[in-house]
Amino acid sequence: MSDYVLDLSGIRKTYRGGVEALKGIDLQVPRGCIYGLLGPNGAGKSTIVKILTTLIRRSGGDGTMLGKPIGDRETLQKVGLLPEHTQFPPYLTGRQVIEFAAGLQNVPSALTRERTDALLAKVWMTESQHRQIKTYSKGMKQRIGIAQALVSDPKIIFLDEPTDGVDPAGRREFRSLVRELREEGRTIFINTHILSELEPIVDRVAIMANGEILGEGKLDELRTEKTGYVVGFEGQLSAKSLSKLQDGDLEVDGGSVRLPSTNALDAQPVIDLIRQEGLVITDVSLKSQSLEDLFIGLVGGGSSPPPVPGNSVQPPRIPQA
Amino acid sequence: MKPFLTLLLESYRGLKSETIFWVTVGLSLLVAVLFLSIGFDENEISFFFGATNIEFDFSGRGGRLVQEIGYIMIFTNLIAGGWLTFIAIILALISCASIFPDAMKEGSAGMLMTKAPSRLQVFLAKLTGSLFFVFIQVGLFVVIVFVAFRWRLGVWNFSVFWYVPAVLLVFLNLYSFMVLLGVLTRSVMTSIMLTMLLWGISAGVDWAITYHESAYQLSQYVDAPTGEIVPEEEVEFRMPEMEKVEGDPQILSQIGTLKIVHSFFPKNSPIMESAEKKLVLDGMAGMLASDGGDVSQKLEDEGELDDAMGKLTANDSTFYSIGTSCIFAFVMLSIAGWLFCRKDL
Ligand SMILES: Nc1ncnc2c1ncn2[C@@H]1O[C@H](COP(=O)(O)OP(=O)(O)OP(=O)(O)O)[C@@H](O)[C@H]1O
Ligand SMILES: [Mg+2]
């Protein structure tokens, strides 16, 4: 058996109507980690999760989850899911939703009560447990959604935009909850486009756009790949210098130039060039990329062109009036 | 088993949360109690447990037996014919119309179909839940009617219980079509509308067959001297001068075509009629037996009655109607179930 709880190769999905949502996804998720799947809207993140939880059928490719082929019902009993647009039966109370999920997942009745209590406490919903779902706020529904995903004591948990609608305090609680789940040996797979969410907790990330994975790895590794000198300056570079810098594969972003190198000597010609223009250097420092930079770098956005060769991603741009 | 029961319980909770469910149950009980409240004695019929009454002299018109037949007629025509075959089924269809489209909504599918139960189990649970709802509703109704018969006619007429499977089968026929539409279109409104259309068409075909059959019977009698077909209203008076011939072959072939068309549709009225036949015959037999009076002596030997009943109830067309209706429901549900298991949600 492979050491991966999730091992996908070449997963494709073409929706009816011809939308190619996934163009051959290869993904390996090791056991017991927090795995973040990042991508802009429409990247195909939810499509992956839906295929794994049998909501939709894949058009091609293969894979295993917990060592069993995708779609195996018994395996799904050990899988928790917080779907993207959850709608629980509005007439149920929060508690009943969790008990309903327990019933569906064949949790023995003797355990259900105890687990429901524990989960309600975990997501801070003990007080509102007897109110009907329709009286809940968005964030409260989301909390119940997370609790019901955990009721079968799952080995792998898929959370699709888990903090959608959750307030800052709730987000912090969420992060500690996810860490706790990892301590218990579970694998947590999180879909999100809110980067700051993942940064403090994820072990590995995959960045995807347009149905393709653009980068994957340990967050630290991905970051060091992208560590380098950043030269800050004040003023406007001439077009000539700008293209010269860009031809040298440097990222120019407003008032800074990012070098792919950690060698201070490599920064000197750049500093010279900027000073020749009569501009003022404000800062020279060694910086590692934040997850956001990494994301923008891979997916495209701001003024930096997508660095991955041959990728056709066009960052969504808001038309300027 | 547990996941399946959980699904059933959930379907029931879902139904219970809808206003239409309570409206249906309430109306159903109201109609049953109204029937229970009708009483009669030698010279009056009373309604609402005697609150109002109409003078009616039964003594000159066959007495007790006529009253009893009248009571059964009220049941078969108004209660069974109007309420059970029509309004109760429409209400039940509307109550259950949203079950499948709702289950397939992205939001609820994420909860229902990503867990241990397979999609087929979810499908069967939802179906069972709907049938159970109708079963409870009709069952309760029929129990009250059963009590009413005992109270007013003095017999335990167990044949009323035939209405339970009959109504269930009629409901299942229409509902199977509705489920298929619901799974295909995921639209509650579309499935209700098109199901009503199917009902209308099948009733229309039913009616057309009856109409053509009586036309054919008429065409079998011609005026002996001239060979002309005798108009319907004159048949009674001109019996002696008529002769029976081969009927109009054209009508016969039309009936054949209609029957072929009909075989593809659910057969609602034939099914309800067979329940009615059972009820009326058993009711009569019961009354005659308990009467011990003049009328039963006319049918001295029991055999005669049994023969008559046998002829009416065990005829092929009942089995044909039930059989083809079951096939219809089975085909519809198989397609719907197959789609339900495969569709992207
Ligand atoms: N049912 C569907 N029919 C047709 N196209 C679909 C369907 N669902 C999703 N898509 C398309 O597939 C692509 C991927 O969608 P998906 O929902 O997986 O994106 P996502 O990464 O989860 O985005 P978001 O961050 O907005 O949730 C999108 O282009 C979307 O338009
Ligand atoms: Mg999504």
Side-chain angles (χ1 to χ4, degrees), chain A residues 246-286:
Chain A
Q246 279 173 346
D247 287 347
D249 211 14
L250 308 182
E251 291 169 28
V252 187
D253 181 12
S256 69
V257 181
R258 173 180 286 277
L259 286 85
S261 162
T262 51
N263 188 343
L265 278 178
D266 291 338
Q268 302 314 313
V270 177
I271 297 171
D272 291 346
L273 187 82
I274 295 170
R275 287 191 45 85
Q276 274 162 27
E277 293 253 330
L279 304 179
V280 181
I281 302 289
T282 53
D283 172 47
V284 180
S285 57
L286 195 59

Short mmCIF file of all heavy atoms in Angstrom, two decimals, chain A residues 246-286:
data_model
loop_
_atom_site.label_atom_id
_atom_site.label_comp_id
_atom_site.label_asym_id
_atom_site.label_seq_id
_atom_site.Cartn_x
_atom_site.Cartn_y
_atom_site.Cartn_z
N GLN A 246 13.59 43.00 -17.16
CA GLN A 246 12.66 41.89 -17.39
C GLN A 246 13.28 40.83 -18.30
O GLN A 246 13.02 39.63 -18.14
CB GLN A 246 11.34 42.41 -17.96
CG GLN A 246 10.45 42.94 -16.84
CD GLN A 246 9.20 43.62 -17.34
OE1 GLN A 246 9.09 43.93 -18.53
NE2 GLN A 246 8.28 43.89 -16.43
N ASP A 247 14.10 41.27 -19.26
CA ASP A 247 14.78 40.29 -20.12
C ASP A 247 15.70 39.41 -19.30
O ASP A 247 15.92 38.24 -19.62
CB ASP A 247 15.59 41.01 -21.21
CG ASP A 247 14.69 41.62 -22.27
OD1 ASP A 247 13.49 41.25 -22.27
OD2 ASP A 247 15.16 42.46 -23.07
N GLY A 248 16.22 39.98 -18.24
CA GLY A 248 17.08 39.20 -17.36
C GLY A 248 16.31 38.32 -16.39
O GLY A 248 16.85 37.88 -15.39
N ASP A 249 15.04 38.15 -16.66
CA ASP A 249 14.17 37.28 -15.84
C ASP A 249 14.00 37.79 -14.41
O ASP A 249 13.87 37.01 -13.47
CB ASP A 249 14.70 35.84 -15.85
CG ASP A 249 13.57 34.84 -15.71
OD1 ASP A 249 12.40 35.26 -15.88
OD2 ASP A 249 13.84 33.66 -15.42
N LEU A 250 14.02 39.09 -14.23
CA LEU A 250 13.79 39.65 -12.90
C LEU A 250 12.36 40.15 -12.81
O LEU A 250 11.78 40.59 -13.81
CB LEU A 250 14.75 40.83 -12.66
CG LEU A 250 16.23 40.53 -12.90
CD1 LEU A 250 17.07 41.75 -12.59
CD2 LEU A 250 16.68 39.34 -12.08
N GLU A 251 11.79 40.06 -11.64
CA GLU A 251 10.41 40.52 -11.47
C GLU A 251 10.41 41.96 -11.00
O GLU A 251 10.96 42.28 -9.94
CB GLU A 251 9.68 39.65 -10.45
CG GLU A 251 9.42 38.24 -10.94
CD GLU A 251 8.92 37.33 -9.82
OE1 GLU A 251 8.30 37.85 -8.86
OE2 GLU A 251 9.18 36.12 -9.89
N VAL A 252 9.83 42.82 -11.80
CA VAL A 252 9.75 44.22 -11.41
C VAL A 252 8.31 44.51 -11.01
O VAL A 252 7.38 44.24 -11.75
CB VAL A 252 10.16 45.14 -12.58
CG1 VAL A 252 10.23 46.59 -12.11
CG2 VAL A 252 11.49 44.70 -13.16
N ASP A 253 8.19 45.03 -9.79
CA ASP A 253 6.83 45.25 -9.30
C ASP A 253 6.77 46.62 -8.65
O ASP A 253 7.22 46.79 -7.52
CB ASP A 253 6.50 44.14 -8.29
CG ASP A 253 5.10 44.28 -7.76
OD1 ASP A 253 4.32 45.08 -8.32
OD2 ASP A 253 4.78 43.61 -6.76
N GLY A 254 6.28 47.62 -9.36
CA GLY A 254 6.17 48.96 -8.82
C GLY A 254 7.52 49.49 -8.35
O GLY A 254 8.40 49.77 -9.15
N GLY A 255 7.68 49.50 -7.05
CA GLY A 255 8.92 50.07 -6.50
C GLY A 255 9.94 49.04 -6.08
O GLY A 255 10.75 49.33 -5.18
N SER A 256 9.90 47.83 -6.65
CA SER A 256 10.91 46.86 -6.23
C SER A 256 11.29 45.91 -7.37
O SER A 256 10.48 45.66 -8.27
CB SER A 256 10.42 46.07 -5.03
OG SER A 256 9.37 45.23 -5.43
N VAL A 257 12.50 45.41 -7.29
CA VAL A 257 12.96 44.41 -8.25
C VAL A 257 13.33 43.16 -7.46
O VAL A 257 14.05 43.24 -6.47
CB VAL A 257 14.21 44.91 -9.02
CG1 VAL A 257 14.67 43.86 -10.03
CG2 VAL A 257 13.92 46.22 -9.72
N ARG A 258 12.78 42.04 -7.88
CA ARG A 258 13.07 40.79 -7.17
C ARG A 258 14.03 39.94 -8.00
O ARG A 258 13.78 39.70 -9.19
CB ARG A 258 11.77 40.04 -6.91
CG ARG A 258 11.97 38.65 -6.32
CD ARG A 258 10.65 37.95 -6.10
NE ARG A 258 9.93 38.51 -4.96
CZ ARG A 258 10.17 38.14 -3.70
NH1 ARG A 258 11.08 37.23 -3.43
NH2 ARG A 258 9.50 38.68 -2.72
N LEU A 259 15.10 39.52 -7.37
CA LEU A 259 16.09 38.69 -8.06
C LEU A 259 15.91 37.24 -7.66
O LEU A 259 15.56 36.95 -6.52
CB LEU A 259 17.50 39.13 -7.66
CG LEU A 259 18.04 40.43 -8.23
CD1 LEU A 259 17.59 41.60 -7.41
CD2 LEU A 259 19.55 40.36 -8.32
N PRO A 260 16.19 36.31 -8.56
CA PRO A 260 16.08 34.89 -8.19
C PRO A 260 17.32 34.41 -7.44
O PRO A 260 17.47 33.21 -7.24
CB PRO A 260 15.93 34.20 -9.55
CG PRO A 260 16.58 35.11 -10.52
CD PRO A 260 16.54 36.49 -9.97
N SER A 261 18.17 35.30 -7.06
CA SER A 261 19.45 34.88 -6.49
C SER A 261 19.60 35.30 -5.03
O SER A 261 19.08 36.33 -4.61
CB SER A 261 20.58 35.50 -7.32
OG SER A 261 21.78 35.47 -6.60
N THR A 262 20.36 34.50 -4.28
CA THR A 262 20.65 34.85 -2.89
C THR A 262 22.07 35.38 -2.75
O THR A 262 22.55 35.61 -1.65
CB THR A 262 20.48 33.62 -1.98
OG1 THR A 262 21.23 32.55 -2.55
CG2 THR A 262 19.04 33.22 -1.84
N ASN A 263 22.72 35.55 -3.88
CA ASN A 263 24.09 36.08 -3.89
C ASN A 263 24.05 37.61 -4.00
O ASN A 263 23.54 38.16 -4.98
CB ASN A 263 24.83 35.46 -5.07
CG ASN A 263 26.31 35.81 -5.04
OD1 ASN A 263 26.72 36.74 -4.33
ND2 ASN A 263 27.10 35.05 -5.78
N ALA A 264 24.66 38.29 -3.01
CA ALA A 264 24.60 39.75 -2.97
C ALA A 264 25.26 40.38 -4.18
O ALA A 264 24.87 41.46 -4.64
CB ALA A 264 25.25 40.26 -1.69
N LEU A 265 26.24 39.67 -4.76
CA LEU A 265 26.93 40.22 -5.92
C LEU A 265 25.99 40.41 -7.11
O LEU A 265 26.10 41.37 -7.86
CB LEU A 265 28.07 39.28 -6.34
CG LEU A 265 29.38 39.41 -5.55
CD1 LEU A 265 30.40 38.39 -6.03
CD2 LEU A 265 29.93 40.83 -5.68
N ASP A 266 25.05 39.48 -7.22
CA ASP A 266 24.10 39.56 -8.34
C ASP A 266 23.22 40.80 -8.27
O ASP A 266 22.65 41.23 -9.26
CB ASP A 266 23.20 38.32 -8.37
CG ASP A 266 23.98 37.08 -8.76
OD1 ASP A 266 25.05 37.25 -9.37
OD2 ASP A 266 23.52 35.96 -8.43
N ALA A 267 23.09 41.36 -7.06
CA ALA A 267 22.22 42.52 -6.90
C ALA A 267 22.89 43.81 -7.38
O ALA A 267 22.20 44.79 -7.71
CB ALA A 267 21.79 42.66 -5.44
N GLN A 268 24.22 43.78 -7.42
CA GLN A 268 24.93 45.03 -7.72
C GLN A 268 24.58 45.64 -9.08
O GLN A 268 24.30 46.84 -9.15
CB GLN A 268 26.46 44.82 -7.57
CG GLN A 268 26.90 44.34 -6.18
CD GLN A 268 26.24 45.11 -5.03
OE1 GLN A 268 26.19 46.35 -5.06
NE2 GLN A 268 25.69 44.38 -4.04
N PRO A 269 24.61 44.87 -10.17
CA PRO A 269 24.28 45.48 -11.47
C PRO A 269 22.89 46.10 -11.47
O PRO A 269 22.67 47.14 -12.10
CB PRO A 269 24.32 44.32 -12.44
CG PRO A 269 25.02 43.21 -11.76
CD PRO A 269 24.91 43.43 -10.30
N VAL A 270 21.99 45.51 -10.74
CA VAL A 270 20.62 46.03 -10.69
C VAL A 270 20.63 47.38 -9.98
O VAL A 270 20.01 48.34 -10.44
CB VAL A 270 19.68 45.04 -9.97
CG1 VAL A 270 18.28 45.63 -9.85
CG2 VAL A 270 19.64 43.71 -10.69
N ILE A 271 21.36 47.43 -8.86
CA ILE A 271 21.45 48.68 -8.11
C ILE A 271 22.07 49.77 -8.99
O ILE A 271 21.57 50.90 -9.06
CB ILE A 271 22.28 48.48 -6.82
CG1 ILE A 271 21.56 47.47 -5.90
CG2 ILE A 271 22.50 49.81 -6.09
CD1 ILE A 271 22.38 47.02 -4.71
N ASP A 272 23.13 49.39 -9.73
CA ASP A 272 23.78 50.34 -10.62
C ASP A 272 22.80 50.88 -11.65
O ASP A 272 22.72 52.09 -11.87
CB ASP A 272 24.96 49.67 -11.36
CG ASP A 272 26.10 49.36 -10.40
OD1 ASP A 272 26.07 49.92 -9.27
OD2 ASP A 272 26.98 48.56 -10.77
N LEU A 273 22.07 50.00 -12.24
CA LEU A 273 21.12 50.39 -13.28
C LEU A 273 20.10 51.39 -12.75
O LEU A 273 19.82 52.41 -13.38
CB LEU A 273 20.41 49.15 -13.82
CG LEU A 273 19.51 49.38 -15.02
CD1 LEU A 273 20.33 49.40 -16.30
CD2 LEU A 273 18.43 48.31 -15.10
N ILE A 274 19.61 51.10 -11.56
CA ILE A 274 18.59 51.97 -10.98
C ILE A 274 19.20 53.34 -10.65
O ILE A 274 18.60 54.38 -10.89
CB ILE A 274 17.97 51.32 -9.73
CG1 ILE A 274 17.21 50.04 -10.13
CG2 ILE A 274 17.00 52.27 -9.03
CD1 ILE A 274 16.75 49.20 -8.95
N ARG A 275 20.43 53.30 -10.13
CA ARG A 275 21.07 54.57 -9.76
C ARG A 275 21.41 55.40 -10.98
O ARG A 275 21.33 56.63 -10.96
CB ARG A 275 22.31 54.31 -8.91
CG ARG A 275 21.91 53.86 -7.48
CD ARG A 275 23.07 53.83 -6.52
NE ARG A 275 23.94 55.01 -6.58
CZ ARG A 275 23.71 56.15 -5.92
NH1 ARG A 275 22.63 56.28 -5.18
NH2 ARG A 275 24.57 57.15 -6.01
N GLN A 276 21.77 54.71 -12.11
CA GLN A 276 22.04 55.44 -13.35
C GLN A 276 20.82 56.22 -13.81
O GLN A 276 20.92 57.26 -14.44
CB GLN A 276 22.46 54.47 -14.45
CG GLN A 276 23.96 54.17 -14.45
CD GLN A 276 24.28 52.92 -15.23
OE1 GLN A 276 23.55 52.56 -16.15
NE2 GLN A 276 25.37 52.26 -14.86
N GLU A 277 19.69 55.69 -13.49
CA GLU A 277 18.44 56.37 -13.86
C GLU A 277 18.20 57.59 -12.97
O GLU A 277 17.24 58.34 -13.17
CB GLU A 277 17.25 55.42 -13.71
CG GLU A 277 17.28 54.27 -14.70
CD GLU A 277 16.22 54.44 -15.78
OE1 GLU A 277 15.16 55.04 -15.51
OE2 GLU A 277 16.49 53.98 -16.91
N GLY A 278 19.02 57.73 -11.93
CA GLY A 278 18.85 58.84 -11.00
C GLY A 278 17.82 58.56 -9.93
O GLY A 278 17.33 59.48 -9.26
N LEU A 279 17.47 57.29 -9.74
CA LEU A 279 16.47 56.94 -8.72
C LEU A 279 17.15 56.59 -7.40
O LEU A 279 18.34 56.28 -7.37
CB LEU A 279 15.62 55.76 -9.20
CG LEU A 279 14.91 55.96 -10.54
CD1 LEU A 279 14.13 54.72 -10.91
CD2 LEU A 279 13.99 57.19 -10.50
N VAL A 280 16.38 56.65 -6.33
CA VAL A 280 16.93 56.42 -4.99
C VAL A 280 16.65 54.99 -4.54
O VAL A 280 15.52 54.52 -4.60
CB VAL A 280 16.28 57.40 -3.98
CG1 VAL A 280 16.85 57.18 -2.58
CG2 VAL A 280 16.46 58.83 -4.45
N ILE A 281 17.71 54.31 -4.10
CA ILE A 281 17.53 52.97 -3.54
C ILE A 281 17.05 53.10 -2.10
O ILE A 281 17.65 53.83 -1.31
CB ILE A 281 18.88 52.20 -3.54
CG1 ILE A 281 19.47 52.08 -4.94
CG2 ILE A 281 18.70 50.81 -2.91
CD1 ILE A 281 18.75 51.16 -5.88
N THR A 282 15.96 52.45 -1.78
CA THR A 282 15.43 52.58 -0.42
C THR A 282 15.74 51.37 0.43
O THR A 282 15.73 51.45 1.65
CB THR A 282 13.90 52.76 -0.45
OG1 THR A 282 13.34 51.70 -1.22
CG2 THR A 282 13.50 54.10 -1.05
N ASP A 283 15.96 50.23 -0.22
CA ASP A 283 16.07 49.01 0.59
C ASP A 283 16.69 47.90 -0.25
O ASP A 283 16.31 47.71 -1.41
CB ASP A 283 14.66 48.62 1.07
CG ASP A 283 14.65 47.29 1.76
OD1 ASP A 283 15.51 47.06 2.61
OD2 ASP A 283 13.77 46.46 1.42
N VAL A 284 17.64 47.19 0.31
CA VAL A 284 18.15 45.97 -0.34
C VAL A 284 18.11 44.87 0.70
O VAL A 284 18.72 45.00 1.75
CB VAL A 284 19.60 46.16 -0.85
CG1 VAL A 284 20.08 44.87 -1.52
CG2 VAL A 284 19.69 47.32 -1.81
N SER A 285 17.35 43.83 0.46
CA SER A 285 17.27 42.78 1.49
C SER A 285 16.98 41.42 0.87
O SER A 285 16.45 41.33 -0.24
CB SER A 285 16.20 43.13 2.50
OG SER A 285 14.97 43.31 1.83
N LEU A 286 17.31 40.40 1.65
CA LEU A 286 17.06 39.02 1.23
C LEU A 286 15.67 38.64 1.73
O LEU A 286 15.40 38.68 2.93
CB LEU A 286 18.12 38.12 1.88
CG LEU A 286 18.27 36.72 1.33
CD1 LEU A 286 18.61 36.74 -0.14
CD2 LEU A 286 19.34 35.98 2.11
#
